Amino acid sequence: MSFYPSKGAWGLLFLICVPLLVAGYFGYRVMTSVYKQEWGNGVVIRADEYVQSGDWVFDCEYGRLVSRRPLPVPIAELERVGKLDIGQSYLKEEDRAPAREALKAITGRKDWYRELRYAYSDLEESVVGETSSLKAHRFTMLANHRGGTWEVDVWHWVGYGDSEFSVYIEPYDEENHVDHAKALKQAAQSCPAPQ
């Protein structure tokens, strides 16, 4: 009588152990993740691999990723796209008509997008997994129109295959405006571990 397991028993053991080991590994990585932002409903943004690369800083409060060196504005892609989708801004009722007028005037200028500057990037939320992937880059600029200053934001959506762009506008608010330097500073101070 032989106590050596058959090939079927080895195969069954393999089918049970390998998924358990993989799940344990990813579970361990998730539990030990330092650079993350949890939304409270099981959705988490994790950026450990980005931060460990040395090229990015993660904002644990806002869940955004900031390139240490400002990313270049994708001018060739913007020129190829031509007209941008206008995103839904959360504007006060009294700001909507002036915002539409300002946006039309600002984006109607030739090469207006050359004034854009990189601010930060967004990561895709993940319900399961150890990392999140890049979803979008935010480029911003300040522009004057009829005596008022407006913040124009262009989002470059990169996480869905073809790149797409959306443009948003709102009255400039110095306290809430986030450019690259401010985003980098906020991110560096937001996580429990240094970056």
Side-chain angles (χ1 to χ4, degrees):
M1 177 174 232
S2 172
F3 290 104
Y4 187 76
S6 67
K7 287 182 182 179
W10 280 113
L12 181 61
L13 184 63
F14 180 79
L15 287 174
I16 292 171
C17 289
V18 169
L20 286 175
L21 288 171
V22 170
Y25 170 75
F26 284 112
Y28 172 77
R29 293 286 304 263
V30 166
M31 289 184 338
T32 59
S33 176
V34 175
Y35 304 104
K36 61 185 174 187
Q37 206 279 334
E38 298 183 35
W39 296 109
N41 57 356
V43 176
V44 179
I45 296 174
R46 290 185 179 82
D48 293 76
E49 287 187 12
Y50 289 98
V51 173
Q52 290 165 2
S53 75
D55 296 329
W56 300 90
V57 178
F58 184 67
D59 191 318
C60 291
E61 183 178 350
Y62 294 106
R64 52 187 172 215
L65 197 62
V66 185
S67 175
R68 289 186 183 276
R69 288 180 304 229
L71 299 179
V73 177
I75 291 175
E77 288 183 66
L78 278 166
E79 290 174 341
R80 189 171 51 251
V81 168
K83 187 174 180 180
L84 304 178
D85 292 330
I86 297 174
Q88 296 295 320
S89 294
Y90 298 101
L91 295 172
K92 297 177 193 169
E93 186 65 40
E94 64 268 15
D95 290 333
R96 289 185 184 159
R100 280 192 297 271
E101 178 189 316
L103 185 62
K104 186 175 181 181
I106 293 165
T107 60
R109 296 187 318 229
K110 182 174 174 52
D111 295 340
W112 65 272
Y113 43 80
R114 293 188 183 274
E115 296 176 36
L116 290 168
R117 299 292 176 258
Y118 171 76
Y120 57 83
S121 302
D122 265 358
L123 288 168
E124 187 74 50
E125 298 92 0
S126 69
V127 178
V128 179
E130 63 180 285
T131 61
S132 301
S133 57
L134 274 172
K135 175 173 71 171
H137 304 296
R138 178 179 170 257
F139 299 91
T140 189
M141 65 182 263
L142 299 179
N144 293 316
H145 177 70
R146 293 200 178 191
T149 303
W150 295 87
E151 178 180 335
V152 179
D153 295 327
V154 172
W155 283 91
H156 181 198
W157 304 98
V158 296
Y160 306 110
D162 292 339
S163 64
E164 298 176 12
F165 296 91
S166 296
V167 62
Y168 298 82
I169 190 167
E170 61 185 340
Y172 172 64
D173 176 359
E174 184 177 0
E175 185 178 325
N176 293 320
H177 176 70
V178 179
D179 61 7
H180 180 258
K182 186 174 182 179
L184 201 55
K185 182 179 177 183
Q186 287 176 338
Q189 297 171 348
S190 70
C191 294
Q195 300 184 60

